[in-house]
Every structure is written in structure tokens, then in C-alpha cells.
Amino acid sequence: MVALRNGTGEGGRVPAALRRIGGLAASWLALLLLGIAVPVAPAAAEDGYDLWLRYAPVHESRLAGYRAHATELVVPADTATARATRDELARGLRGLLGQAPATAARARRDGAVVVGTPASSPQLAALKLDLSGLGEEGYLVRSVRIDGRPATVVVANSDVGALYGAFHFLRLIQTAQPLAALDIREAPRTQVRVLNHWDNLDRYVERGYAGESIWDWHRLPDWKDPRYTDYARANASIGINGTVLNNVNTSAQALTPAYLEKTAALAEVFRPFGIKVYLSARFSAPIEIGGLETADPLDPAVRRWWKAKAEEIYRTIPDFGGFLVKANSEGQPGPQDYGRSHADGANMLAEALAPHGGIVMWRAFVYSHEEPDDRAKQAYNEFVPFDGQFHDRVLVQVKNGAIDFQPREPFHPLFGAMPKTPLMMEFQITKEYLGFATHLAYKGTLYEEVLRADTQVRGPGSTVARVIDGTLEAGEPGRSPLTGMAGVANIGVDRNWSGSHFDQANWFAFGRLAWDPYLEAQAIAEEWVKMTFTTDPAFVGPVVAMMMGSREAVVDYMTPLGLHHLMGRGHHYGPGPWVAGGPRADWTSVYYHRADDKGIGFDRSVNGSDAVAQYAPPVAAQFGDIDAVPEEFLLWFHHVPWDHRMASGRTLWDELVLRYGRGVDYVKGMRSTWDGLAGHVDPERHAQVAAFLAIQEKEAQWWRDASIAYFQTFSKRPLPAGQAAPPHSLEYYESLQFPFAPGDGK
């Protein structure tokens, strides 16, 4: 276990590293420290800290073959990134193969692994490999002969590209792939691949379910926790090249000199791994920390203040990435406070950053103080009129759906609607609406569903992925070449980083899809399972199958058939379809489901809010037709009678009830599957996953029962045959309170 590698403490006390790991393992280790004999466990306990970089020994049947392809390690450059690459390969190969290969300045043995650039290695230069089109981050992994001897080369145009290639090489071994006749050529399809940390300076994490923030601001810049290096390693291994350190609902203090010095310390740790730091910038900072009376983006004094602030930042952090901005949304200040547009605000910041190479990621998650007829329409209405007016250093960051990271949403209508403006995908890795850290919900399937959705703005095949990677509108005049994808992080100080072992898969899947939006969620899940647990097919097959249906199960027991925004108020924990009242109608559940005695669902057709008109005509026609819309979006776009006939032949009411039950049954199946795999995984991780699945089943049943109890008051129809009635009254479910549920604001 990683915690043990730091020593055994002093004075007979159990050290903090052991106290943090908790559970049975901590008890046994305490006994060992006291000299009390304990039985040897059949498998070493693990706490999940190593993520998918465990580098567990390969199966004996493959060991000799892999060792023959890694007899010698040659990483000739002596830059910080090259040293990180050399260290990672040595660590990985030692763990996987039971021994670290010899290191050398040049390849001299059969089976050498040579990593670097043509500029750093005469042997690589002599191969005259074609590196065109790889850019600064792409790489080749190829089987070659050097001086007549077989070798494997990992070669790139830069040290960072070589680092990415080294992780790919290790991943081949981790996932039991052959190393003979390699010819791999990869480059990222998006340029900016970032995590958005919703971390406050006091270490509280908004919508975080894995403990407090990993950024120990109080001890920075002098104490650089070794965990920061492991964070950088994990991100580099999946191609993430940036991190926004602070919450979009930010404090202007993040831009003060003291915090810039702390940010610079993190940048120093991350730099060798190709990771830039970004900061969320509070739009009203010129007032709050600059002493100005206005933050009007067209005011010359305000523009000068931001220009000077950018110069100060780059003096401190020369490779600073730029700003993420949430403005004029949920009460945050912004340019509309002064009668200006989103383009005015974003462009002012971009002009300050552009001379230094920085960018602005301007979030399109907006809704005004005035209640709209349909909140789903607002971002489109506010941004489309300014298409082509944003600075070429601006990315407009758009959530995958128009409401707010729901278990399922149709793709956001902005995708494809702004051909002259680069749109950056924003996914949520943290499971704000999918059961926090305790429910198993593999979001790779959600990401894939959205990226493969066809906008049809330029005919069939105009997928969201093509909008994100820039290929759909590549020839559009005036379009910036910037591309990117952001993921709202699920990381905290919990030893397993994400609160749940399986939530690590969502971080992993995000990084892999940010690198290549065309990868398949199932292939990514297989990689992750093999790297995180075991390559044994008897384990991999059932677990991947379990993961692939897990998110659909959550949709079923929470928001089936296109229902959305049904969670408890504020904390978003548990069912709350009855939530009404409060300061805004569009913060309530009843606003979205609109259940009455006639039916249920939000009418967004031409007869309702006409939100369908924001999509390309073929998509609008499909979504707007109650008989053509995919059933998973039926209640998103239509108010449907309770007796409407579904594809199954059942009425809507019966189908709704059965979908709720289907979700619960899937969780029961996951529990059974996982229980049967106990012999394939270490006891500590198996026990936590089993406990969390038990919680998930309990809460899935709660969602099912509470939702049926509520909606039956409108449908006034009996449950389908064989379906159990909720065990409690609706009043019971409505009475439940959770004042200290995690992740909500203080």
C-alpha cells in the first residue's frame, strides 16, 4: 500500500499515513506495529490511491515476452519532462515486469526501449521517422531496428509528446497487449483538455463528494504535497494538459499576489507533466481587489487593470493557461450588469491575455434574473447572436445539455449553431445528479452518447464530436482554430481520490475522450478495469458489462423517459419531484415535469416553448413529433397523456413505473455480480464497492418508491400487475430532510 512506503512512524504510535487508510487494513497494520502476529491475507489490501497506475505484475505467461521487449531503457534528454518520463517508465516496468530495465545513454541491446525526440537522440534522428501532423503532443510508438537490433521507439516532436507516448507504451503492457510489430501514431484531437476544480480557497469543494480540496492553500507555496505530483502523473497518463484550480463561483482573492505565488508553486510541480494551470476569474475583481468603482468591460480603466493583472500573472507564471469565467449566471457578476454582451466581457479578458499566449474559457451556462419561458432556451438566445464576434483567444464552454448535467439530456442546441465560434465541451465528472460518490454510474456512456449525437447542421454525420474537434466548421471564415474539452473534477483528499473506486473510471474516461472524442466507452472501460483491477477475463467481462449498463440504470430509477431536475432542493440528494416554490420557478421540480391529471412532461414542441426550433430542422422535426422523438427524450420535449401508447404497447404510466423498477433491478444485479467476484480483487476495495452498491440499491428503491407515490397522485391509475406499492405514504417521503448532505454551498 502506498501509505506504507513513507515509514512506520515513531514512539510506537500509528502514523497519520496509516490512520488515513482506515478499515480492516489499518487495524491489521496497527497490530503488526505492536508486534502481534496476524494471519497473512491471501491478497494485499489496497486503498485505491494508485488509480490506474498500479503497475501490478503481469501474468507469468506473458512475463518473458514483455521482458524481452524492455531490456534497456534509453531516455537521453535531461529536461524535467524527460526525467519524469524516465522515472515513470522505470517505475512502471519495475512493477509490471518485476525488474527495472537497465538504463543507458544509447541503445545497445536487443529489446531496448528508446524514448525522446530526434533532437535529443541521434539514434532516433537516424531513423528519419515521419513526425508530420503530430504537433507538440502527438507521438509514435513503433517497432524498429537500431544498429541491427530489435527495439521499440517512442518518438515525438517534444518531450511532452514523448511522455504521452511512454504512458501509452505502459498501457499496452497493463492491458495485456502484444508488443511485437507496433506501429502506433497518435495525436490529440482537441488542444485544451482541462479539469475544472470547483474548489474554494477554504478547501470546500462545491459538488464534491471525495473530501475537501487537494489544494492546501494555507501551506502553499512552501509545502508542495507529493500528492500534487501523483495528480499530475495521473492526468498526464490520460492526456489532460490543464487544470483550473478554483471554483467558477470564485473569490477575487485568487488573483491577489499571495495566491498567485501559491498557484506558481503548483505550476512548477505540474510543468514537467505538460499541465498548465488556469484560474477562474471573478468578473468584478477590479472592484473587489483593484479599488475601481466599476467592472464595465468597455471602461478604459478596467481594461488597463486586467492588462496589468495579466502581466503580473505571467511574470509569476510564464506558462499560465488563462481564465475560466462564469458571468451573469446564478447571481455571478458579469458584463450584462453594465449593459454589455458576453462577447464584450470575454474579449476584454482575451485582449489582456493574448500577448502572453493565454486563452479565455467563457461559460455558456447562463440564465438571467428574469424567469424565461423555458430555461433550456436561454444560452442559445444569449450566445447565437454574437457568433463570430468573439476574440480568437476565446473558447465558449458549453455544457453537454441545456439544463444542468442531468442523468440524461439531449445534446445542447448550441452545438452546431455557432459555426464561427469555437465551442468547448463541458462535461461533469463529479456525479452531482447521479448518486454522488456512492452510486456506481459509469459516465463514459453518457459522454459517448453526447459526442456521437448528430446535430445535422451540415447534413448527416455532423456530430457533436466534430463540432468539438473543429472538423465540422474547419473551413468557416474567421473561425478560431482553438478546440477543447473540460470536465468538472471529482477529486478530493480521499485516499482513493474520488470517494468511490468506480468513480475513478469517470476521470479516466473523460481524459481518454478529451484526447480522442471518437473512442468507444466500452473499450475505455476495458482499459480502466484491466489497469485498475486485473486483466483476468473472468473479472473484466462481467465488470465491464456491469459498468456499461450502470448509467442507464440511474436514468431509469431517477429520471426515466426524459424526466429531469427531480432531485431534492439545494443539496440535490434524493428524490424531490414535489419541490415547488422558492425564489425562482426554474429552480423547482414541478417547473420541469409539469405533471397534472392529463399527463406529464415539458412541452418544448412548436405548441409549447418551441425549444425544438433551436435545433437543425431534421432534428427539430424528430424531437418535435411525439411519435418520432426517441423515447428516452419523450418527456423532455412533450407533455404526454398518461394513457399514451409506448413502443412496448404499454401505456405511458405503466412504462414509467416499470422503468423505475428496471433501474432498481439492475442495481440488484450489479450487487450479485460484484459479490461473485470477491476472489478476483483485494478484500479492501471489494468491501467498499460492495457497501456502496448496497447503499445504491437502498437509494434506488427510495427514488422509485417516492417518485411513484408522487406521480400516482396525478395519474390516478393503478400500478401494473406485479409491481409493489411504495411502502410509505407520499407525506413520509416529502418529510425527509437532509440539511448536511455533501456538496452543497455552506
Side-chain angles (χ1 to χ4, degrees), residues 706-722:
S707 300
I708 289 174
Y710 174 74
F711 288 127
Q712 195 173 25
T713 65
F714 297 98
S715 76
K716 299 180 174 61
R717 285 155 174 79
L719 300 182

Side-chain angles (χ1 to χ4, degrees), residues 54-358:
R54 292 172 58 242
Y55 300 132
V58 301
H59 192 272
E60 186 176 320
S61 63
R62 295 186 293 271
L63 185 58
Y66 282 142
R67 283 180 174 175
H69 283 89
T71 62
E72 188 175 48
L73 181 58
V74 182
V75 187
D78 194 33
T79 64
T81 298
R83 288 192 293 273
T85 303
R86 187 183 303 114
D87 291 346
E88 194 69 37
L89 284 166
R91 176 192 289 110
L93 293 172
R94 183 185 302 110
L96 291 162
L97 308 183
Q99 61 187 38
T103 58
R106 55 184 291 114
R108 299 181 184 277
R109 304 182 184 183
D110 289 359
V113 179
V114 186
V115 184
T117 69
S120 69
S121 169
Q123 288 184 310
L124 292 177
L127 294 172
K128 300 186 182 304
L129 297 171
D130 179 13
L131 304 182
S132 61
L134 294 180
E136 291 299 301
E137 295 182 305
Y139 54 84
L140 298 179
V141 181
R142 185 170 293 179
S143 300
V144 300
R145 299 189 77 84
I146 296 178
D147 297 334
R149 299 184 180 89
T152 302
V153 297
V154 179
V155 59
N157 290 312
S158 73
D159 287 343
V160 168
L163 173 67
Y164 290 149
F167 276 115
H168 192 139
F169 177 74
L170 289 169
R171 187 162 66 240
L172 294 175
I173 303 175
Q174 290 175 279
T175 56
Q177 304 302 307
L179 296 184
L182 294 175
D183 189 9
I184 298 166
R185 183 184 186 91
E186 286 225 3
R189 292 179 178 267
T190 61
Q191 299 165 354
V192 181
R193 306 177 300 278
V194 299
L195 293 183
N196 289 178
H197 284 265
W198 285 2
D199 297 23
N200 293 348
L201 300 182
D202 63 0
R203 304 192 72 181
Y204 174 78
V205 182
E206 183 178 340
R207 308 307 177 188
Y209 311 106
E212 64 183 359
S213 171
I214 66 172
W215 317 131
D216 192 344
W217 292 107
H218 184 70
R219 295 177 185 174
L220 284 164
D222 301 308
W223 168 241
K224 299 171 187 173
D225 192 323
R227 187 167 186 142
Y228 302 154
T229 300
D230 291 333
Y231 167 89
R233 290 175 51 234
N235 280 321
S237 75
I238 50 177
I240 291 173
N241 65 1
T243 181
V244 185
L245 300 173
N246 58 326
N247 194 354
V248 290
N249 298 320
T250 188
S251 163
Q253 289 297 312
L255 298 178
T256 60
Y259 277 94
L260 292 179
E261 186 181 3
K262 298 170 187 289
T263 298
L266 291 173
E268 182 181 351
V269 175
F270 300 158
R271 191 170 292 118
F273 297 91
I275 297 171
K276 290 185 177 182
V277 297
Y278 298 77
L279 289 172
S280 292
R282 186 165 172 83
F283 198 80
S284 54
I287 300 171
E288 294 168 20
I289 62 172
L292 301 185
E293 295 182 354
T294 181
D296 184 346
L298 300 189
D299 186 288
V302 173
R303 300 174 79 86
R304 285 194 300 271
W305 187 89
W306 281 109
K307 182 175 182 293
K309 179 56 65 175
E311 291 170 350
E312 176 190 358
I313 292 172
Y314 282 94
R315 283 194 301 271
T316 309
I317 312 165
D319 56 351
F320 180 70
F323 293 142
L324 171 65
V325 183
K326 177 178 179 177
N328 291 121
S329 179
E330 299 183 316
Q332 292 296 305
Q336 293 177 345
D337 299 346
Y338 306 95
R340 315 303 186 188
S341 71
H342 289 290
D344 292 331
N347 293 347
M348 172 195 67
L349 295 175
E351 288 166 10
L353 295 171
H356 311 281

Side-chain angles (χ1 to χ4, degrees), residues 129 294 408 446 482 519 546 720 734 737:
L129 297 171
T294 181
R408 168 169 281 132
L446 185 159
L482 286 174
L519 293 176
M546 184 174 79
E734 290 179 335
Q737 299 293 322

Side-chain angles (χ1 to χ4, degrees), residues 257-597:
Y259 277 94
L260 292 179
E261 186 181 3
K262 298 170 187 289
T263 298
L266 291 173
E268 182 181 351
V269 175
F270 300 158
R271 191 170 292 118
F273 297 91
I275 297 171
K276 290 185 177 182
V277 297
Y278 298 77
L279 289 172
S280 292
R282 186 165 172 83
F283 198 80
S284 54
I287 300 171
E288 294 168 20
I289 62 172
L292 301 185
E293 295 182 354
T294 181
D296 184 346
L298 300 189
D299 186 288
V302 173
R303 300 174 79 86
R304 285 194 300 271
W305 187 89
W306 281 109
K307 182 175 182 293
K309 179 56 65 175
E311 291 170 350
E312 176 190 358
I313 292 172
Y314 282 94
R315 283 194 301 271
T316 309
I317 312 165
D319 56 351
F320 180 70
F323 293 142
L324 171 65
V325 183
K326 177 178 179 177
N328 291 121
S329 179
E330 299 183 316
Q332 292 296 305
Q336 293 177 345
D337 299 346
Y338 306 95
R340 315 303 186 188
S341 71
H342 289 290
D344 292 331
N347 293 347
M348 172 195 67
L349 295 175
E351 288 166 10
L353 295 171
H356 311 281
I359 65 169
V360 174
M361 297 171 285
W362 189 272
R363 295 180 87 233
F365 179 64
V366 295
Y367 53 93
S368 65
H369 293 295
E370 299 78 30
E371 182 185 321
D373 66 323
D374 182 354
R375 200 177 99 183
K377 296 167 58 177
Q378 187 159 348
Y380 182 103
N381 291 339
E382 288 197 21
F383 280 85
V384 168
F386 298 100
D387 185 30
Q389 297 182 32
F390 287 91
H391 193 284
D392 63 9
R393 301 301 293 170
V394 174
L395 277 162
V396 174
Q397 184 168 308
V398 183
K399 289 187 178 183
N400 58 274
I403 296 299
D404 188 16
F405 297 134
Q406 296 299 294
R408 168 169 281 132
E409 298 190 36
F411 70 88
H412 202 301
L414 274 175
F415 292 118
M418 299 183 68
K420 298 179 181 178
T421 305
L423 302 185
M424 180 181 192
M425 174 64 75
E426 180 179 346
F427 282 127
Q428 194 174 50
I429 305 171
T430 189
K431 302 204 313 294
E432 177 180 357
Y433 298 105
L434 289 94
F436 297 1
T438 47
H439 294 207
L440 197 164
Y442 174 51
K443 298 185 79 172
T445 56
L446 185 159
Y447 305 154
E448 180 182 70
E449 177 179 296
V450 175
L451 291 167
R452 294 190 175 189
D454 196 343
T455 71
Q456 298 212 38
V457 294
R458 297 204 171 198
S462 303
T463 62
V464 172
R466 293 190 61 207
V467 175
I468 298 308
D469 72 5
T471 58
L472 184 63
E473 311 289 359
E476 188 69 33
R479 179 182 171 87
S480 165
L482 286 174
T483 58
M485 192 182 296
V488 180
N490 64 349
I491 296 162
V493 295
D494 282 8
R495 281 292 295 174
N496 67 13
W497 298 85
S498 55
S500 158
H501 295 294
F502 272 87
D503 282 353
Q504 297 174 1
N506 296 330
W507 177 8
F508 183 88
F510 168 78
R512 298 288 284 128
L513 285 165
W515 179 275
D516 183 353
Y518 302 93
L519 293 176
E520 295 182 350
Q522 180 166 331
I524 294 170
E526 289 173 357
E527 284 183 344
W528 178 80
V529 171
K530 290 176 179 179
M531 297 166 75
T532 304
F533 291 107
T534 175
T535 58
D536 186 343
F539 181 88
V540 174
V543 172
V544 170
M546 184 174 79
M547 292 171 66
M548 290 300 292
S550 60
R551 176 260 181 156
E552 194 68 34
V554 175
V555 171
D556 278 345
Y557 65 70
M558 286 187 179
T559 55
L561 298 174
L563 289 173
H564 49 289
H565 207 282
L566 300 181
M567 63 289 166
R569 190 194 299 272
H571 48 66
H572 300 171
Y573 173 66
W578 47 78
V579 170
R584 291 180 64 111
D586 57 351
W587 285 355
T588 68
S589 300
V590 298
Y591 172 89
Y592 293 97
H593 66 68
R594 308 203 169 191
D596 56 28
D597 59 354

